[in-house]
Amino acid sequence: FTSVTSDFSTTTLSAGMTWGYPISEVQFLRFGFAYQDAELLTSAYSSQQARDWVLQNGSPFNVTTDVYGTKVRSLELVAGWGFDTRNATLFPTAGARLGLNLNASVPGSDIEYYVASIDYQKYVRMPGRWRFRVNSDLYYGNAYGDTTALPPFRNRYGGGPSSVRGFKESYLGPVDSLGNPYGGNLVFTNQLELLVPTPAKLSGSTRVAIFYDMGGVFSTGGVRFFDKLGDPIDYSFKYDRLKRSVGLGVEWLAPLGLLRFSYAVPLNADEPTDRLFGDQVERFQFSVGNAF
């Protein structure tokens, strides 16, 4: 259940199946379905945005006078197309990858929505062993029918090693009434990297890059947000709201996994004020995960 320290609780049971079908050596189709049964709980201590969504969607119920939730069931159809000509899965130096994905709940589900995403990666050869890499991601989702907004568990977040380095992970974009990141239904990130040649003995396990990141998280409708003084605030997309940073990144394939380090300088971080929450900066970042 929810409490003062846990203002939003979600229990989800999901099951599905996806098929992949190759149409050439470098292209494939993906299609399938997924069933989801979720229970979302909020309380008097939850954010206004969480309470609004729970009370207006699915099958709302009360646990106590201060704790209430909703149950939602949905059947999603899944489709995608992929194209990959990279010369390696880990630390590639040539080729490109493009993926298109679409998930949509079937009309008649307790909540009706769709989400679509595009991810693109391209390696460009330069003189000597220098390489230039482009990594772009675009995510958009929205509700339809009687559903008021995209479900909170379908919101996307930004900031951190995989999007805009130098900004605290998951803290970009809309902020709820408690001052916590709420995520958004529109996310765009773009990383431009100049890959620095490393000694031959290290090239298979280490990568160094000088980078320029740009991106943001936005909410395009269906959710109301407010500033610190309680006045409405707009988080819709505007080009000048995209956050930017420059810095140095290092990847090292260590025995315990792929380690990623970066030091970034945010170029247009907003300082907190008596009205606005501002951005949370984190210049040095470390993570364990997939190659960037």
Side-chain angles (χ1 to χ4, degrees):
F1 291 101
T2 59
S3 67
V4 178
T5 57
S6 178
D7 60 0
F8 193 79
S9 175
T10 305
T11 303
T12 303
L13 172 67
S14 60
M17 187 172 291
T18 304
W19 293 268
Y21 179 75
I23 55 179
S24 73
E25 292 184 355
V26 297
Q27 295 186 68
F28 67 91
L29 296 175
R30 185 174 65 91
F31 53 92
F33 67 91
Y35 172 77
Q36 187 160 259
D37 189 329
E39 181 179 85
L40 289 76
L41 291 174
T42 57
S43 75
Y45 301 103
S46 300
S47 69
Q48 183 66 49
Q49 291 75 19
R51 288 179 305 191
D52 287 347
W53 196 92
V54 163
L55 291 173
Q56 297 171 8
N57 296 279
S59 302
F61 63 90
N62 279 18
V63 179
T64 68
T65 55
D66 291 328
V67 179
Y68 39 90
T70 186
K71 293 183 178 180
V72 293
R73 299 176 179 86
S74 62
L75 178 64
E76 284 188 5
L77 298 182
V78 180
W81 171 81
F83 172 86
D84 193 346
T85 61
R86 295 175 302 165
N87 59 355
T89 302
L90 185 64
F91 294 165
T93 58
R97 183 189 68 188
L98 176 63
L100 309 176
N101 296 285
L102 174 66
N103 291 39
S105 63
V106 174
S109 299
D110 290 346
I111 50 175
E112 298 173 323
Y113 62 91
Y114 63 90
V115 293
S117 63
I118 302 173
D119 63 271
Y120 175 71
Q121 186 179 98
K122 172 69 175 178
Y123 288 85
V124 180
R125 292 184 180 273
M126 301 182 68
R129 296 171 51 228
W130 293 83
R131 297 290 185 273
F132 184 77
R133 192 190 81 124
V134 178
N135 187 42
S136 300
D137 289 286
L138 177 64
Y139 175 91
Y140 178 75
N142 211 344
Y144 69 93
D146 294 330
T147 305
T148 61
L150 194 66
F153 52 80
R154 275 298 194 176
N155 283 340
R156 279 283 187 92
Y157 297 82
S162 60
S163 59
V164 186
R165 287 161 282 193
F167 292 86
K168 190 173 181 179
E169 187 170 4
S170 300
Y171 273 74
L172 281 184
V175 177
D176 66 21
S177 58
L178 299 178
N180 300 316
Y182 189 76
N185 68 315
L186 172 61
V187 180
F188 169 72
T189 61
N190 191 43
Q191 296 181 327
L192 305 178
E193 296 180 341
L194 179 63
L195 304 181
V196 180
T198 56
K201 291 183 178 180
L202 300 177
S203 60
S205 61
T206 305
R207 171 168 286 179
V208 179
I210 301 169
F211 63 79
Y212 170 79
D213 291 350
M214 177 177 66
V217 179
F218 308 95
S219 180
T220 62
V223 183
R224 297 180 303 160
F225 293 97
F226 307 91
D227 60 23
K228 292 179 179 179
L229 301 181
D231 295 325
I233 186 171
D234 179 25
Y235 285 107
S236 61
F237 175 82
K238 289 183 180 179
Y239 181 80
D240 58 5
R241 290 179 177 173
L242 292 173
K243 300 302 176 181
R244 300 170 175 82
S245 67
V246 294
L248 181 70
V250 178
E251 286 182 330
W252 175 41
L253 186 59
L256 53 81
L258 184 66
L259 307 181
R260 297 186 294 177
F261 308 85
S262 65
Y263 183 83
V265 178
L267 300 179
N268 59 341
D270 292 327
E271 296 291 335
T273 67
D274 58 348
R275 177 178 291 274
L276 302 177
F277 292 100
D279 295 315
Q280 298 208 28
V281 171
E282 194 175 64
R283 293 176 182 267
F284 176 78
Q285 294 176 320
F286 164 76
S287 65
V288 180
N290 296 326
F292 64 76

